[in-house]
Amino acid sequence: MFSSVWNFVKRHKRKFIFTGAVVGGVYFLGKYAQKKIGEFQEKEATEYIAQARRQFHFESNQRTCNMTVLSMLPPLKEAIVHHLNSESLTALLKDKPDNKLEIWEDLKIISFTRTMVAVYSTCMLVVLLRVQLNIIGGYLYLDNSVGKSTATPLAPPDVQQQYLSSIQHLLGDGLTELTTVVKKSVQNSLGGVSLKQSLSLLELEQQLSWIRAEVEAGSERPMSRYMLADDENALADQACGLTENDIVTIRLLNETRDMLDRLHLGPQRQFKPRLLSSSRQPGRVLPPASR
């Protein structure tokens, strides 16, 4: 019996070898495919978790931006009122002084200046805070990311505090310079407009466009200079020295400056608040030369 089986095997040896090879190949191929599918699923799950973490981090950062902007609006308003105090002129008018016409002229200039400074400075505050908080958020995300090679934080709390304190330039010297520039432009545009003259919507838009053209055509970086100090020494002063944390602070300030510089697209194409628009020509900008 065994000899007959052995003879049968010898006669069909090639078939057995072929069948064994096919079965073995299918088995190992199935194991390989199962392993690859498992690796793919694990990779997909890891990427999904990472994407969810990034999304949560981004949304959390945006909420922080919004809350920070809201908390900074009162000090900004207070600074604007301090520079452009129209209430004192209004109080003088109640006493019916002899120079009330002159006071009304001053009130006209201050009112327009205050409105435009409020729009510009609010836009700058939002842009600057979003850039700063997103830069810090990026460093915090890297600090908390899986596989980080060192336990030393890229942006320690002291660095964050020093870095965010640079916004005081916008609330101080930057706002002062912005107010001076805007007030001069308002004086040049509206100084000759009589108090009794009525302005149509289109005429008012034209006046505002002339003011904006003069304000935004100032220098190589017309608007970002109000948000961060231009001077390298000022950056060093803000960093308060050259310790390791201070060097990181200066690097963050330089990154912020680079981001703000990318927003510079030329005199009529940056930080364009919609001050006023007509239904026929929305957002129309008329250069001063067309006056």
Side-chain angles (χ1 to χ4, degrees):
M1 178 178 177
F2 287 106
S3 60
S4 60
V5 172
W6 176 249
N7 291 331
F8 177 79
V9 171
K10 285 178 66 177
R11 285 197 307 270
H12 300 282
K13 180 174 62 174
R14 293 183 180 179
K15 295 181 181 179
F16 280 113
I17 294 174
F18 178 77
T19 303
V22 170
V23 172
V26 170
Y27 174 79
F28 286 111
L29 184 61
K31 286 292 185 180
Y32 178 79
Q34 186 178 4
K35 178 182 176 182
K36 286 299 180 181
I37 291 174
E39 291 177 354
F40 177 76
Q41 291 175 339
E42 182 179 354
K43 181 180 178 182
E44 286 288 308
T46 302
E47 291 180 354
Y48 177 80
I49 293 173
Q51 183 177 358
R53 287 181 66 250
R54 287 193 297 268
Q55 184 67 24
F56 175 79
H57 182 81
F58 175 78
E59 292 176 354
S60 176
N61 198 51
Q62 298 313 301
R63 287 193 295 269
T64 302
C65 288
N66 294 335
M67 290 187 293
T68 306
V69 168
L70 292 176
S71 68
M72 294 296 296
L73 287 179
L76 177 61
K77 178 183 177 182
E78 184 178 346
I80 294 173
V81 171
H82 173 73
H83 287 292
L84 300 164
N85 189 353
S86 60
E87 285 75 10
S88 60
L89 297 179
T90 305
L92 287 176
L93 288 173
K94 293 180 180 179
D95 297 333
K96 298 181 179 180
D98 296 335
N99 62 336
K100 63 179 182 179
L101 183 60
E102 181 182 346
I103 296 176
W104 272 112
E105 287 288 344
D106 291 340
L107 186 60
K108 175 187 69 176
I109 300 300
I110 287 180
S111 298
F112 271 92
T113 303
R114 188 161 157 177
T115 300
M116 298 199 70
V117 168
V119 174
Y120 272 122
S121 59
T122 302
C123 292
M124 292 177 191
L125 178 68
V126 172
V127 169
L128 180 57
L129 280 175
R130 286 196 177 276
V131 169
Q132 286 187 316
L133 292 177
N134 277 288
I135 287 177
I136 290 180
Y139 278 95
L140 292 178
Y141 179 81
L142 292 177
D143 284 335
N144 296 324
S145 62
V146 179
K148 186 174 179 290
S149 57
T150 176
T152 305
L154 298 173
D158 291 344
V159 169
Q160 297 177 34
Q161 185 175 358
Q162 286 180 332
Y163 171 57
L164 291 175
S165 67
S166 63
I167 201 170
Q168 294 302 319
H169 175 76
L170 173 59
L171 300 178
D173 294 341
L175 185 64
T176 301
E177 184 181 358
L178 175 65
T179 301
T180 302
V181 172
V182 173
K183 188 174 183 179
K184 179 182 177 181
S185 301
V186 171
Q187 183 68 52
N188 292 340
S189 181
L190 296 173
V193 177
S194 172
L195 292 169
K196 298 180 180 179
Q197 180 179 344
S198 298
L199 294 177
S200 66
L201 186 65
L202 186 59
E203 290 172 334
L204 182 58
E205 179 190 2
Q206 188 179 56
Q207 293 290 339
L208 295 176
S209 299
W210 287 334
I211 296 170
R212 285 189 51 214
E214 188 171 344
V215 170
E216 297 175 20
S219 66
E220 183 183 355
R221 295 191 305 109
M223 308 310 289
S224 58
R225 75 176 189 268
Y226 303 121
M227 292 180 275
L228 283 179
D230 252 349
D231 200 308
E232 290 184 2
N233 294 328
L235 292 179
D237 291 340
Q238 288 176 7
C240 304
L242 291 175
T243 65
E244 184 177 350
N245 282 353
D246 299 332
I247 293 174
V248 177
T249 303
I250 294 177
R251 186 177 74 238
L252 293 179
L253 290 170
N254 289 334
E255 289 182 18
T256 305
R257 184 180 307 282
D258 290 341
M259 290 293 294
L260 295 176
D261 286 346
R262 292 176 191 176
L263 298 175
H264 173 53
L265 301 175
Q268 292 292 332
R269 297 182 56 196
Q270 57 179 341
F271 293 101
K272 287 194 170 182
R274 291 291 295 274
L275 297 177
L276 183 65
S277 61
S278 66
S279 58
R280 290 183 300 170
Q281 293 174 301
R284 178 168 171 251
V285 174
L286 300 179
S290 62
R291 294 180 66 178

